[in-house]
């Protein structure tokens, strides 16, 4: 059966979707069941006793018993030259991402009887060309020579607005997550589809739509001029506006919007493969530069790291209290020593002087007594 595959590797869960070939075109994208209880599976890998890598929910369950062998967050570390370590064994992040993608592709092949006609994989919106090239090379080494890589926000937009309509110039995406909302403004690039134009991360859910409208206004686009806004991810209840100035899309399963859109873009990619278009100078959604792998570009410089000295909290023991008040204690000790010296001196003088002796009575003191030597 002819089909295409879309995969969205998110921070916590991974979603996948497929589009089947129908005559004369493609069917609607459908979720590909990955988890044991839900369509999504954990974005995790686990190294078992024999050195094999478990994926998805099986990896998360095994990692709950042996956390030291669990691997997560590797998709966001693609391009980092520091490998992830499991019991001293290094694993490059791009290799781990490829293993996860390979497992999903194998699962789809078992279900549909063969490999997909094309694969679209999402990536974080802040990736540059270097990270995409690193992942492409790892995927090519694993048997996936032509993979379309698109930002997750653009893939989510593809679930509802895969191709810009006539006169459409901009659209928005609000991705709800545990760290807030990532707001993206996308602009239309003609036949090449949507491209990210501006974004804001970690926005409060209540301010997501207003932030998007501010980005649109900065790009000389009014809220009414947007082709639409896609709400995806873990959208909370009552998050959709009551009277939006433009169309708002959420779909029945907002967390799977990026995977569904990736499958829809994969179908468009297959249809455009034979079109007489020159490869664009900048990677775009529908016509990415993935068919050939050139030289790997220069690694982008690491951002400067500001190290703030960490001050340990002071202990509250009696010795530490004495250290903090050492000058005062020294003054008290000096004063006490001086007082003790004075007391000791006075005591010593009294001891050497002996008891007081009163003068003996004398008859010379009587009136009329004779005076002179020998009488007293």
């Amino acid at each position: 059966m002819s089909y295409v595959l879309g995969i969205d590797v998110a921070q916590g869960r991974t979603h996948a979707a497929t589009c089947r070939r129908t005559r004369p075109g493609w069917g609607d994208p459908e979720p590909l069941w990955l988890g044991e209880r839900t369509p999504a599976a954990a974005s995790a890998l686990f190294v078992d006793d024999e050195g094999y890598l478990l994926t998805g929910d099986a990896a998360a369950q095994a990692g709950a018993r042996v956390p030291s062998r669990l691997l997560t967050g590797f998709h966001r570390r693609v391009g980092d030259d520091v490998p992830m370590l499991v019991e001293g064994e290094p694993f490059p992040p791009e290799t781990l991402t490829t293993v996860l993608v390979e497992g999903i592709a194998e699962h789809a092949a078992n279900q549909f009887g063969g490999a997909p006609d094309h694969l679209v994989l999402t990536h974080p919106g802040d990736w540059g060309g270097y990270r995409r090239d690193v992942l492409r090379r790892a995927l090519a080494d694993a048997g996936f020579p032509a993979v379309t890589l698109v930002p997750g926000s653009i893939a989510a937009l593809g679930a509802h607005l895969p191709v810009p309509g006539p006169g459409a110039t901009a659209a928005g995406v609000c991705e709800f997550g545990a760290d807030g909302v990532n707001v993206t403004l996308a602009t239309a690039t003609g036949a090449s589809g949507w491209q990210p134009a501006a974004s804001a991360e970690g926005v409060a859910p209540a301010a997501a739509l207003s932030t998007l409208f501010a980005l649109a206004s900065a790009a000389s686009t009014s809220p009414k001029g947007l082709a639409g806004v896609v709400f995806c991810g873990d959208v909370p209840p009552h998050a959709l506006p009551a009277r939006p100035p433009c169309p708002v899309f959420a779909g029945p399963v907002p967390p799977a919007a990026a995977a569904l859109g990736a499958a829809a873009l994969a179908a468009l990619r297959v249809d455009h493969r034979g079109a007489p278009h020159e490869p664009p100078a900048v990677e775009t959604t529908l016509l990415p530069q993935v068919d050939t792998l050139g030289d790997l570009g220069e690694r982008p410089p690491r951002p400067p790291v500001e190290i703030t000295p960490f001050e340990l909290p002071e202990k509250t023991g009696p010795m530490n209290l004495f250290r903090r008040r050492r000058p005062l204690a020294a003054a008290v000790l000096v004063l006490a020593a001086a007082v003790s010296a004075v007391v000791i001196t006075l005591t010593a003088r009294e001891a050497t002087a002996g008891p007081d002796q009163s003068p003996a009575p004398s008859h010379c003191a009587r009136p009329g007594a004779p005076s002179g030597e020998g009488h007293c």
Side-chain angles (χ1 to χ4, degrees):
M1 179 182 297
S2 180
Y3 72 100
V4 292
L5 177 62
I7 300 175
D8 174 41
V9 182
Q11 184 70 14
R13 308 287 290 177
T14 295
H15 291 80
T18 60
C19 281
R20 305 182 189 185
R21 170 75 77 175
T22 60
R23 296 186 181 182
W26 295 90
D28 294 332
E30 300 175 351
L32 178 65
W33 198 278
L34 301 178
E36 296 183 356
R37 296 181 177 86
T38 63
S43 301
L45 298 173
F46 180 83
V47 184
D48 63 10
D49 295 336
E50 298 180 356
Y52 292 99
L53 289 172
L54 303 179
T55 64
D57 289 345
Q61 294 172 4
R65 296 187 295 269
V66 188
S68 61
R69 296 185 181 181
L70 183 65
L71 292 161
T72 59
F74 43 83
H75 188 47
R76 298 197 65 87
R77 287 188 53 182
V78 170
D80 191 348
D81 55 354
V82 179
M84 303 182 72
L85 299 177
V86 175
E87 297 185 349
E89 188 71 20
F91 293 91
E94 60 272 14
T95 301
L96 297 175
T97 303
T98 300
V99 170
L100 186 63
V101 171
E102 191 175 9
I104 297 173
E106 183 178 354
H107 173 67
N110 293 334
Q111 186 169 341
F112 292 97
D117 292 349
H118 193 64
L119 170 63
V120 170
L121 178 64
T122 66
H123 64 78
D126 58 354
W127 277 21
Y130 178 81
R131 285 184 168 183
R132 289 194 295 265
D133 289 342
V134 168
L135 183 55
R136 281 201 191 102
R137 289 177 177 275
L139 291 169
D141 292 340
F144 301 96
V147 178
T148 301
L149 302 179
V150 297
S153 58
I154 301 301
L157 192 61
H160 303 279
L161 297 170
V163 178
T169 58
V173 179
C174 296
E175 302 174 83
F176 290 79
D179 298 330
V181 185
N182 293 339
V183 180
T184 302
L185 176 70
T187 56
T189 56
S192 297
W194 299 103
Q195 284 297 298
S199 64
E201 297 182 355
V203 179
L209 206 56
S210 60
T211 301
L212 175 62
F213 292 160
L215 294 177
S217 299
S220 302
T221 301
S222 66
K224 294 183 179 180
L226 295 175
V229 178
V230 175
F231 278 42
C232 60
D234 300 324
V235 181
H238 311 295
L240 299 180
R243 296 180 178 179
C246 60
V248 175
F249 307 95
V253 188
L260 296 171
L265 294 177
L268 291 175
R269 180 69 172 90
V270 172
D271 290 342
H272 285 76
R273 187 179 294 275
H277 292 290
E278 292 294 331
V282 179
E283 182 176 10
T284 57
T285 301
L286 302 184
L287 298 175
Q289 299 180 15
V290 298
D291 296 332
T292 59
L293 292 174
D295 296 334
L296 189 62
E298 184 179 356
R299 183 189 305 274
R302 291 182 178 273
V305 178
E306 296 182 359
I307 301 177
T308 302
F310 179 73
E311 297 182 358
L312 294 175
E314 296 184 355
K315 298 181 179 180
T316 57
M319 292 303 297
N320 187 70
L321 182 62
F322 175 76
R323 294 190 186 96
R324 287 188 298 173
R325 300 182 179 179
R326 185 176 295 174
L328 179 60
V332 172
L333 289 177
V334 171
L335 180 60
V339 173
S340 300
V342 172
V343 172
I344 293 173
T345 302
L346 294 177
T347 304
R349 287 181 179 180
E350 292 178 357
T352 56
D356 294 339
Q357 297 181 357
S358 302
S362 174
H363 63 278
C364 297
R366 295 195 302 268
S371 59
E373 185 178 354
H375 291 281
C376 297

